Amino acid sequence: MTHPRWRSTGATFVVALVTALVAALLPAAPALALPSGSGWSASWSYYHPTAYQYAGTLPGVRLTGYATDSSGVSSTVGTIEDTANDSRCARVLLYANGVGYIADRTTCGNGSHLTYSTVSYQQGLLVIVYRMVQGTSTHDKGFHLYIPPSLSDSQLRAVGTGASWSYYASTAFQYSITRPGVRLTGYGAHQYTDQRSSLNTVEKTATTLGCASGRVTGGTTTSGSTCANGGSASFTRFDHTNNLEASACYQPTLGTQRCLALNIPEPW
């Protein structure tokens, strides 16, 4: 499984760290059959300038979490639940750059749950969700969700900023990324055993002078941009492979380009 490069973090060491952690924790998806994403989803968003929420699901697993954000300094609480009688367990790990692992909870049994609360962090939050084989240290499903730091990007704390993906059918998914000035929405499907499509629209939501752009990469790359107020652009690709990385950026004419990225995993 190919893992993403997190261009939107703005820090090379964060890119390398997230890539290395996820590569070590999540096994490669076998390319033997058309994968099913039924029950897979993840999201995060700011619902207040000082707080965001995040969530994730796998078959039989549900995660919900809330975090405070005081000018880039955060802490979080949450709940991991086992939601199925399937001889599987639910696990969540949280990793904060500069701090280390700040939570690791595993719960087993239909309807069981565990809560967590963490120390503070300020360099972004990596959320890893697993479905575990009960009685072992083996996981048979999993994904990660990265929530970037707002310490050096205060625009992230705007209400509505966030990203999400979900499978609405076993082989079809949808996703979105929103940050000030830009919104990217997309749909995709598994075309063959190891190919995925992406059909995308990027919109400029800012009324200032500047351009909005979107990009999706997964073996191959497709992108689009618009500089018109209220404008949009569509772009499509049918031969992506493995994980996808979608990103949305806004570049003011007299300012710094800011981006937000989202990893859309290939289920296994």
Side-chain angles (χ1 to χ4, degrees):
M1 181 179 293
T2 302
H3 297 290
R5 299 180 179 87
W6 292 101
R7 291 182 297 273
S8 63
T9 62
T12 302
F13 68 91
V14 174
V15 175
L17 179 62
V18 171
T19 302
L21 281 170
V22 173
L25 288 167
L26 298 185
L32 299 176
L34 201 63
S36 172
S38 295
W40 291 58
S41 70
S43 65
W44 69 270
S45 65
Y46 277 84
Y47 62 92
H48 188 275
T50 62
Y52 63 83
Q53 59 190 353
Y54 55 93
T57 63
L58 289 169
V61 177
R62 179 166 59 231
L63 170 72
T64 54
Y66 299 87
T68 59
D69 186 343
S70 178
S71 300
V73 179
S74 299
S75 62
T76 181
V77 299
T79 301
I80 183 72
E81 302 174 71
D82 184 334
T83 62
N85 184 17
D86 57 3
S87 299
R88 297 293 189 267
C89 302
R91 184 183 184 189
V92 61
L93 293 93
L94 302 182
Y95 185 91
N97 187 52
V99 181
Y101 287 100
I102 56 177
D104 184 352
R105 296 287 189 274
T106 301
T107 184
C108 302
N110 187 15
S112 67
H113 70 277
L114 288 174
T115 61
Y116 57 84
S117 61
T118 75
V119 297
S120 62
Y121 54 91
Q122 57 184 13
Q123 294 297 331
L125 183 66
L126 178 64
V127 181
I128 303 168
V129 182
Y130 287 140
R131 190 178 77 170
M132 308 295 294
V133 177
Q134 191 167 2
T136 75
S137 59
T138 301
H139 52 277
D140 63 356
K141 295 185 184 296
F143 65 82
H144 73 277
L145 178 69
Y146 183 65
I147 304 168
S150 70
L151 191 66
S152 59
D153 186 358
S154 61
Q155 292 180 4
L156 288 176
R157 297 193 292 271
V159 173
T161 295
S164 68
W165 59 264
S166 64
Y167 275 77
Y168 62 90
S170 64
T171 60
F173 53 93
Q174 58 192 354
Y175 50 94
S176 67
I177 304 173
T178 301
R179 65 163 298 137
V182 60
R183 178 169 55 245
L184 173 71
T185 56
Y187 297 86
H190 298 285
Q191 302 299 302
Y192 303 100
T193 301
D194 196 31
Q195 284 196 337
R196 307 169 83 189
S197 62
S198 72
L199 295 82
N200 308 277
T201 300
V202 63
E203 304 170 72
K204 179 183 174 183
T205 59
T207 56
T208 55
L209 292 177
C211 297
S213 61
R215 177 185 176 97
V216 175
T217 299
T220 58
T221 298
T222 183
S223 61
S225 64
T226 179
C227 300
N229 287 351
S232 65
S234 297
F235 50 100
T236 302
R237 191 97 191 197
F238 294 95
D239 58 350
H240 298 304
T241 56
N242 299 318
N243 285 4
L244 303 185
E245 183 192 79
S247 61
C249 305
Y250 183 64
Q251 170 72 67
T253 300
L254 300 175
T256 301
Q257 183 186 63
R258 298 286 189 178
C259 299
L260 187 58
L262 173 69
N263 182 65
I264 307 162
E266 180 181 40
W268 69 84

